[in-house]
mmCIF file of all heavy atoms in Angstrom:
data_model
loop_
_atom_site.group_PDB
_atom_site.id
_atom_site.type_symbol
_atom_site.label_atom_id
_atom_site.label_comp_id
_atom_site.label_asym_id
_atom_site.label_seq_id
_atom_site.Cartn_x
_atom_site.Cartn_y
_atom_site.Cartn_z
ATOM 1 N N ALA I 23 -8.719 3.327 -29.282
ATOM 2 C CA ALA I 23 -9.062 2.955 -27.908
ATOM 3 C C ALA I 23 -7.918 3.232 -26.948
ATOM 4 O O ALA I 23 -8.134 3.602 -25.784
ATOM 5 C CB ALA I 23 -9.446 1.478 -27.858
ATOM 6 N N ASP I 24 -6.674 3.061 -27.409
ATOM 7 C CA ASP I 24 -5.509 3.251 -26.546
ATOM 8 C C ASP I 24 -5.247 4.722 -26.203
ATOM 9 O O ASP I 24 -4.523 5.014 -25.253
ATOM 10 C CB ASP I 24 -4.264 2.661 -27.203
ATOM 11 C CG ASP I 24 -3.967 1.250 -26.715
ATOM 12 O OD1 ASP I 24 -4.391 0.920 -25.587
ATOM 13 O OD2 ASP I 24 -3.341 0.480 -27.456
ATOM 14 N N LYS I 25 -5.816 5.635 -26.987
ATOM 15 C CA LYS I 25 -5.549 7.058 -26.749
ATOM 16 C C LYS I 25 -6.271 7.588 -25.521
ATOM 17 O O LYS I 25 -5.868 8.599 -24.947
ATOM 18 C CB LYS I 25 -5.974 7.873 -27.980
ATOM 19 C CG LYS I 25 -5.080 7.697 -29.190
ATOM 20 C CD LYS I 25 -5.589 8.531 -30.360
ATOM 21 C CE LYS I 25 -4.709 8.347 -31.592
ATOM 22 N NZ LYS I 25 -5.234 9.119 -32.751
ATOM 23 N N VAL I 26 -7.359 6.930 -25.126
ATOM 24 C CA VAL I 26 -8.179 7.429 -24.026
ATOM 25 C C VAL I 26 -8.505 6.278 -23.079
ATOM 26 O O VAL I 26 -8.403 5.107 -23.445
ATOM 27 C CB VAL I 26 -9.481 8.074 -24.539
ATOM 28 C CG1 VAL I 26 -9.198 9.370 -25.276
ATOM 29 C CG2 VAL I 26 -10.239 7.111 -25.443
ATOM 30 N N ALA I 27 -8.905 6.640 -21.875
ATOM 31 C CA ALA I 27 -9.276 5.634 -20.875
ATOM 32 C C ALA I 27 -10.658 5.951 -20.333
ATOM 33 O O ALA I 27 -11.201 7.044 -20.548
ATOM 34 C CB ALA I 27 -8.257 5.618 -19.736
ATOM 35 N N GLY I 28 -11.234 4.982 -19.626
ATOM 36 C CA GLY I 28 -12.460 5.256 -18.903
ATOM 37 C C GLY I 28 -12.201 6.287 -17.816
ATOM 38 O O GLY I 28 -11.061 6.547 -17.426
ATOM 39 N N THR I 29 -13.275 6.878 -17.325
ATOM 40 C CA THR I 29 -13.164 7.940 -16.327
ATOM 41 C C THR I 29 -13.716 7.468 -14.988
ATOM 42 O O THR I 29 -14.938 7.340 -14.827
ATOM 43 C CB THR I 29 -13.933 9.192 -16.777
ATOM 44 O OG1 THR I 29 -13.457 9.608 -18.058
ATOM 45 C CG2 THR I 29 -13.767 10.326 -15.777
ATOM 46 N N PRO I 30 -12.856 7.173 -14.020
ATOM 47 C CA PRO I 30 -13.367 6.822 -12.689
ATOM 48 C C PRO I 30 -14.192 7.975 -12.125
ATOM 49 O O PRO I 30 -13.798 9.141 -12.226
ATOM 50 C CB PRO I 30 -12.090 6.606 -11.866
ATOM 51 C CG PRO I 30 -11.018 6.325 -12.868
ATOM 52 C CD PRO I 30 -11.384 7.126 -14.079
ATOM 53 N N TYR I 31 -15.339 7.640 -11.568
ATOM 54 C CA TYR I 31 -16.211 8.694 -11.034
ATOM 55 C C TYR I 31 -16.271 8.653 -9.503
ATOM 56 O O TYR I 31 -16.000 9.653 -8.845
ATOM 57 C CB TYR I 31 -17.614 8.547 -11.624
ATOM 58 C CG TYR I 31 -18.580 9.595 -11.126
ATOM 59 C CD1 TYR I 31 -18.466 10.922 -11.538
ATOM 60 C CD2 TYR I 31 -19.603 9.266 -10.230
ATOM 61 C CE1 TYR I 31 -19.348 11.899 -11.067
ATOM 62 C CE2 TYR I 31 -20.485 10.231 -9.761
ATOM 63 C CZ TYR I 31 -20.359 11.534 -10.178
ATOM 64 O OH TYR I 31 -21.224 12.506 -9.705
ATOM 65 N N TYR I 32 -16.587 7.490 -8.951
ATOM 66 C CA TYR I 32 -16.720 7.432 -7.494
ATOM 67 C C TYR I 32 -16.528 5.991 -7.044
ATOM 68 O O TYR I 32 -16.977 5.052 -7.696
ATOM 69 C CB TYR I 32 -18.096 7.936 -7.066
ATOM 70 C CG TYR I 32 -18.272 8.064 -5.570
ATOM 71 C CD1 TYR I 32 -17.635 9.085 -4.863
ATOM 72 C CD2 TYR I 32 -19.073 7.174 -4.864
ATOM 73 C CE1 TYR I 32 -17.784 9.206 -3.492
ATOM 74 C CE2 TYR I 32 -19.240 7.292 -3.496
ATOM 75 C CZ TYR I 32 -18.586 8.303 -2.809
ATOM 76 O OH TYR I 32 -18.740 8.422 -1.450
ATOM 77 N N PHE I 33 -15.839 5.830 -5.911
ATOM 78 C CA PHE I 33 -15.622 4.512 -5.328
ATOM 79 C C PHE I 33 -15.713 4.647 -3.820
ATOM 80 O O PHE I 33 -15.149 5.569 -3.227
ATOM 81 C CB PHE I 33 -14.246 3.971 -5.716
ATOM 82 C CG PHE I 33 -13.990 2.560 -5.240
ATOM 83 C CD1 PHE I 33 -14.277 1.476 -6.057
ATOM 84 C CD2 PHE I 33 -13.469 2.313 -3.973
ATOM 85 C CE1 PHE I 33 -14.053 0.175 -5.632
ATOM 86 C CE2 PHE I 33 -13.248 1.020 -3.529
ATOM 87 C CZ PHE I 33 -13.546 -0.052 -4.371
ATOM 88 N N THR I 34 -16.431 3.722 -3.192
ATOM 89 C CA THR I 34 -16.512 3.742 -1.731
ATOM 90 C C THR I 34 -16.724 2.327 -1.213
ATOM 91 O O THR I 34 -17.267 1.465 -1.917
ATOM 92 C CB THR I 34 -17.659 4.653 -1.235
ATOM 93 O OG1 THR I 34 -17.558 4.814 0.192
ATOM 94 C CG2 THR I 34 -19.019 4.079 -1.568
ATOM 95 N N SER I 35 -16.283 2.096 0.004
ATOM 96 C CA SER I 35 -16.451 0.805 0.650
ATOM 97 C C SER I 35 -16.786 1.039 2.115
ATOM 98 O O SER I 35 -15.978 1.600 2.861
ATOM 99 C CB SER I 35 -15.168 -0.028 0.521
ATOM 100 O OG SER I 35 -15.280 -1.245 1.215
ATOM 101 N N THR I 36 -17.990 0.637 2.521
ATOM 102 C CA THR I 36 -18.428 0.753 3.909
ATOM 103 C C THR I 36 -18.847 -0.625 4.404
ATOM 104 O O THR I 36 -18.796 -1.619 3.671
ATOM 105 C CB THR I 36 -19.597 1.743 4.032
ATOM 106 O OG1 THR I 36 -20.763 1.183 3.393
ATOM 107 C CG2 THR I 36 -19.269 3.080 3.377
ATOM 108 N N ASP I 37 -19.285 -0.695 5.649
ATOM 109 C CA ASP I 37 -19.669 -1.983 6.217
ATOM 110 C C ASP I 37 -20.831 -2.625 5.474
ATOM 111 O O ASP I 37 -20.895 -3.847 5.326
ATOM 112 C CB ASP I 37 -20.041 -1.819 7.693
ATOM 113 C CG ASP I 37 -18.836 -1.531 8.573
ATOM 114 O OD1 ASP I 37 -17.708 -1.813 8.112
ATOM 115 O OD2 ASP I 37 -19.016 -1.024 9.687
ATOM 116 N N LYS I 38 -21.777 -1.825 4.998
ATOM 117 C CA LYS I 38 -22.998 -2.355 4.393
ATOM 118 C C LYS I 38 -23.107 -2.115 2.892
ATOM 119 O O LYS I 38 -24.011 -2.663 2.252
ATOM 120 C CB LYS I 38 -24.224 -1.723 5.080
ATOM 121 C CG LYS I 38 -24.429 -2.146 6.522
ATOM 122 C CD LYS I 38 -24.846 -3.614 6.623
ATOM 123 C CE LYS I 38 -25.188 -4.011 8.052
ATOM 124 N NZ LYS I 38 -25.621 -5.428 8.145
ATOM 125 N N LEU I 39 -22.226 -1.289 2.323
ATOM 126 C CA LEU I 39 -22.351 -0.944 0.912
ATOM 127 C C LEU I 39 -20.984 -0.749 0.288
ATOM 128 O O LEU I 39 -20.148 -0.021 0.811
ATOM 129 C CB LEU I 39 -23.214 0.317 0.751
ATOM 130 C CG LEU I 39 -23.530 0.774 -0.680
ATOM 131 C CD1 LEU I 39 -24.928 1.378 -0.758
ATOM 132 C CD2 LEU I 39 -22.512 1.806 -1.174
ATOM 133 N N GLN I 40 -20.758 -1.438 -0.835
ATOM 134 C CA GLN I 40 -19.556 -1.248 -1.646
ATOM 135 C C GLN I 40 -20.029 -0.696 -2.995
ATOM 136 O O GLN I 40 -21.014 -1.186 -3.551
ATOM 137 C CB GLN I 40 -18.814 -2.559 -1.883
ATOM 138 C CG GLN I 40 -18.926 -3.581 -0.777
ATOM 139 C CD GLN I 40 -18.123 -3.199 0.442
ATOM 140 O OE1 GLN I 40 -17.016 -2.716 0.322
ATOM 141 N NE2 GLN I 40 -18.689 -3.417 1.625
ATOM 142 N N LEU I 41 -19.324 0.298 -3.541
ATOM 143 C CA LEU I 41 -19.830 0.947 -4.756
ATOM 144 C C LEU I 41 -18.684 1.386 -5.646
ATOM 145 O O LEU I 41 -17.678 1.925 -5.172
ATOM 146 C CB LEU I 41 -20.699 2.152 -4.379
ATOM 147 C CG LEU I 41 -21.424 2.918 -5.485
ATOM 148 C CD1 LEU I 41 -22.725 3.513 -4.960
ATOM 149 C CD2 LEU I 41 -20.569 4.034 -6.085
ATOM 150 N N THR I 42 -18.847 1.162 -6.948
ATOM 151 C CA THR I 42 -17.922 1.697 -7.938
ATOM 152 C C THR I 42 -18.728 2.310 -9.071
ATOM 153 O O THR I 42 -19.782 1.792 -9.454
ATOM 154 C CB THR I 42 -16.958 0.618 -8.465
ATOM 155 O OG1 THR I 42 -15.987 1.225 -9.318
ATOM 156 C CG2 THR I 42 -17.679 -0.474 -9.229
ATOM 157 N N SER I 43 -18.238 3.428 -9.598
ATOM 158 C CA SER I 43 -18.970 4.158 -10.630
ATOM 159 C C SER I 43 -17.965 4.793 -11.583
ATOM 160 O O SER I 43 -16.938 5.327 -11.156
ATOM 161 C CB SER I 43 -19.854 5.245 -9.986
ATOM 162 O OG SER I 43 -20.582 5.958 -10.963
ATOM 163 N N ALA I 44 -18.244 4.716 -12.882
ATOM 164 C CA ALA I 44 -17.315 5.247 -13.875
ATOM 165 C C ALA I 44 -18.069 5.667 -15.130
ATOM 166 O O ALA I 44 -19.186 5.212 -15.398
ATOM 167 C CB ALA I 44 -16.250 4.211 -14.224
ATOM 168 N N LYS I 45 -17.416 6.532 -15.919
ATOM 169 C CA LYS I 45 -17.987 7.015 -17.169
ATOM 170 C C LYS I 45 -17.126 6.567 -18.348
ATOM 171 O O LYS I 45 -15.918 6.394 -18.216
ATOM 172 C CB LYS I 45 -18.073 8.543 -17.166
ATOM 173 C CG LYS I 45 -18.979 9.129 -16.098
ATOM 174 C CD LYS I 45 -19.081 10.648 -16.237
ATOM 175 C CE LYS I 45 -19.998 11.240 -15.178
ATOM 176 N NZ LYS I 45 -20.202 12.699 -15.368
ATOM 177 N N GLU I 46 -17.774 6.434 -19.498
ATOM 178 C CA GLU I 46 -17.088 6.218 -20.770
ATOM 179 C C GLU I 46 -17.673 7.213 -21.776
ATOM 180 O O GLU I 46 -18.853 7.123 -22.136
ATOM 181 C CB GLU I 46 -17.256 4.786 -21.252
ATOM 182 C CG GLU I 46 -16.653 4.521 -22.619
ATOM 183 C CD GLU I 46 -15.227 5.025 -22.753
ATOM 184 O OE1 GLU I 46 -14.386 4.678 -21.896
ATOM 185 O OE2 GLU I 46 -14.957 5.787 -23.701
ATOM 186 N N LEU I 47 -16.842 8.162 -22.199
ATOM 187 C CA LEU I 47 -17.300 9.276 -23.022
ATOM 188 C C LEU I 47 -16.770 9.223 -24.446
ATOM 189 O O LEU I 47 -17.093 10.110 -25.251
ATOM 190 C CB LEU I 47 -16.890 10.606 -22.371
ATOM 191 C CG LEU I 47 -17.258 10.772 -20.889
ATOM 192 C CD1 LEU I 47 -16.718 12.090 -20.350
ATOM 193 C CD2 LEU I 47 -18.768 10.698 -20.696
ATOM 194 N N ASN I 48 -15.958 8.225 -24.758
ATOM 195 C CA ASN I 48 -15.261 8.211 -26.043
ATOM 196 C C ASN I 48 -15.516 6.993 -26.916
ATOM 197 O O ASN I 48 -15.108 6.978 -28.077
ATOM 198 C CB ASN I 48 -13.746 8.305 -25.799
ATOM 199 C CG ASN I 48 -13.365 9.560 -25.034
ATOM 200 O OD1 ASN I 48 -13.458 10.660 -25.553
ATOM 201 N ND2 ASN I 48 -12.948 9.389 -23.777
ATOM 202 N N ALA I 49 -16.175 5.970 -26.397
ATOM 203 C CA ALA I 49 -16.341 4.727 -27.163
ATOM 204 C C ALA I 49 -17.188 4.922 -28.404
ATOM 205 O O ALA I 49 -16.971 4.271 -29.432
ATOM 206 C CB ALA I 49 -16.951 3.644 -26.274
ATOM 207 N N TYR I 50 -18.186 5.834 -28.327
ATOM 208 C CA TYR I 50 -19.048 6.155 -29.463
ATOM 209 C C TYR I 50 -19.195 7.671 -29.567
ATOM 210 O O TYR I 50 -19.342 8.360 -28.541
ATOM 211 C CB TYR I 50 -20.446 5.537 -29.284
ATOM 212 C CG TYR I 50 -20.475 4.042 -29.171
ATOM 213 C CD1 TYR I 50 -20.707 3.427 -27.935
ATOM 214 C CD2 TYR I 50 -20.304 3.237 -30.287
ATOM 215 C CE1 TYR I 50 -20.755 2.048 -27.821
ATOM 216 C CE2 TYR I 50 -20.353 1.846 -30.188
ATOM 217 C CZ TYR I 50 -20.580 1.260 -28.948
ATOM 218 O OH TYR I 50 -20.612 -0.102 -28.840
ATOM 219 N N ASP I 51 -19.198 8.175 -30.769
ATOM 220 C CA ASP I 51 -19.411 9.610 -30.973
ATOM 221 C C ASP I 51 -20.817 9.989 -30.517
ATOM 222 O O ASP I 51 -21.812 9.359 -30.896
ATOM 223 C CB ASP I 51 -19.245 9.979 -32.455
ATOM 224 C CG ASP I 51 -17.806 9.870 -32.929
ATOM 225 O OD1 ASP I 51 -16.909 9.890 -32.063
ATOM 226 O OD2 ASP I 51 -17.594 9.740 -34.149
ATOM 227 N N GLY I 52 -20.885 11.041 -29.691
ATOM 228 C CA GLY I 52 -22.173 11.553 -29.264
ATOM 229 C C GLY I 52 -22.895 10.725 -28.232
ATOM 230 O O GLY I 52 -24.088 10.939 -27.978
ATOM 231 N N VAL I 53 -22.209 9.754 -27.631
ATOM 232 C CA VAL I 53 -22.835 8.889 -26.625
ATOM 233 C C VAL I 53 -22.036 8.967 -25.331
ATOM 234 O O VAL I 53 -20.817 8.782 -25.330
ATOM 235 C CB VAL I 53 -22.897 7.424 -27.102
ATOM 236 C CG1 VAL I 53 -23.518 6.531 -26.026
ATOM 237 C CG2 VAL I 53 -23.680 7.313 -28.406
ATOM 238 N N GLU I 54 -22.730 9.253 -24.230
ATOM 239 C CA GLU I 54 -22.109 9.268 -22.904
ATOM 240 C C GLU I 54 -22.673 8.113 -22.091
ATOM 241 O O GLU I 54 -23.889 8.002 -21.927
ATOM 242 C CB GLU I 54 -22.367 10.597 -22.196
ATOM 243 C CG GLU I 54 -21.752 11.795 -22.888
ATOM 244 C CD GLU I 54 -21.957 13.087 -22.120
ATOM 245 O OE1 GLU I 54 -22.513 13.026 -20.991
ATOM 246 O OE2 GLU I 54 -21.564 14.147 -22.641
ATOM 247 N N MET I 55 -21.790 7.262 -21.586
ATOM 248 C CA MET I 55 -22.201 6.105 -20.796
ATOM 249 C C MET I 55 -21.672 6.253 -19.369
ATOM 250 O O MET I 55 -20.535 6.676 -19.168
ATOM 251 C CB MET I 55 -21.675 4.810 -21.419
ATOM 252 C CG MET I 55 -22.130 4.581 -22.852
ATOM 253 S SD MET I 55 -21.679 2.944 -23.519
ATOM 254 C CE MET I 55 -19.888 3.084 -23.601
ATOM 255 N N HIS I 56 -22.498 5.899 -18.415
ATOM 256 C CA HIS I 56 -22.115 5.996 -17.003
ATOM 257 C C HIS I 56 -22.713 4.795 -16.278
ATOM 258 O O HIS I 56 -23.933 4.635 -16.222
ATOM 259 C CB HIS I 56 -22.656 7.302 -16.408
ATOM 260 C CG HIS I 56 -22.135 7.592 -15.038
ATOM 261 N ND1 HIS I 56 -22.232 8.846 -14.454
ATOM 262 C CD2 HIS I 56 -21.503 6.822 -14.114
ATOM 263 C CE1 HIS I 56 -21.688 8.818 -13.250
ATOM 264 N NE2 HIS I 56 -21.254 7.591 -13.019
ATOM 265 N N ARG I 57 -21.836 3.951 -15.740
ATOM 266 C CA ARG I 57 -22.305 2.759 -15.023
ATOM 267 C C ARG I 57 -21.960 2.858 -13.549
ATOM 268 O O ARG I 57 -20.833 3.218 -13.191
ATOM 269 C CB ARG I 57 -21.691 1.488 -15.602
ATOM 270 C CG ARG I 57 -22.353 0.208 -15.108
ATOM 271 C CD ARG I 57 -21.887 -1.020 -15.861
ATOM 272 N NE ARG I 57 -22.939 -2.039 -15.915
ATOM 273 C CZ ARG I 57 -22.935 -3.085 -16.716
ATOM 274 N NH1 ARG I 57 -21.920 -3.269 -17.554
ATOM 275 N NH2 ARG I 57 -23.929 -3.960 -16.715
ATOM 276 N N THR I 58 -22.931 2.523 -12.728
ATOM 277 C CA THR I 58 -22.748 2.508 -11.275
ATOM 278 C C THR I 58 -23.179 1.147 -10.755
ATOM 279 O O THR I 58 -24.300 0.695 -11.032
ATOM 280 C CB THR I 58 -23.585 3.613 -10.604
ATOM 281 O OG1 THR I 58 -23.182 4.888 -11.117
ATOM 282 C CG2 THR I 58 -23.422 3.586 -9.094
ATOM 283 N N MET I 59 -22.285 0.477 -10.033
ATOM 284 C CA MET I 59 -22.596 -0.824 -9.466
ATOM 285 C C MET I 59 -22.366 -0.787 -7.960
ATOM 286 O O MET I 59 -21.339 -0.278 -7.497
ATOM 287 C CB MET I 59 -21.744 -1.919 -10.111
ATOM 288 C CG MET I 59 -21.914 -2.008 -11.622
ATOM 289 S SD MET I 59 -21.320 -3.562 -12.321
ATOM 290 C CE MET I 59 -22.615 -4.688 -11.763
#
C-alpha cells in the first residue's frame, strides 16, 4: 500500500457546488475504482 497512492482527478469549489474526485487503480488487481463526491 505504501508504494502507491490514490490518484487525484478533479477538485473544484464554487458558490453553489463543491466537488472532489479521485481514482484508485492499485488496491485490487484488475479493478479500477473512481469516486466523485
Side-chain angles (χ1 to χ4, degrees):
D24 264 335
K25 289 179 181 178
V26 291
T29 304
Y31 180 71
Y32 187 72
F33 185 92
T34 189
S35 176
T36 68
D37 289 341
K38 292 291 186 179
L39 184 145
Q40 329 287 319
L41 185 149
T42 186
S43 181
K45 297 184 179 185
E46 176 49 52
L47 309 176
N48 301 291
Y50 300 106
D51 290 340
V53 178
E54 296 183 4
M55 302 187 293
H56 189 164
R57 192 171 210 166
T58 300
M59 302 197 73

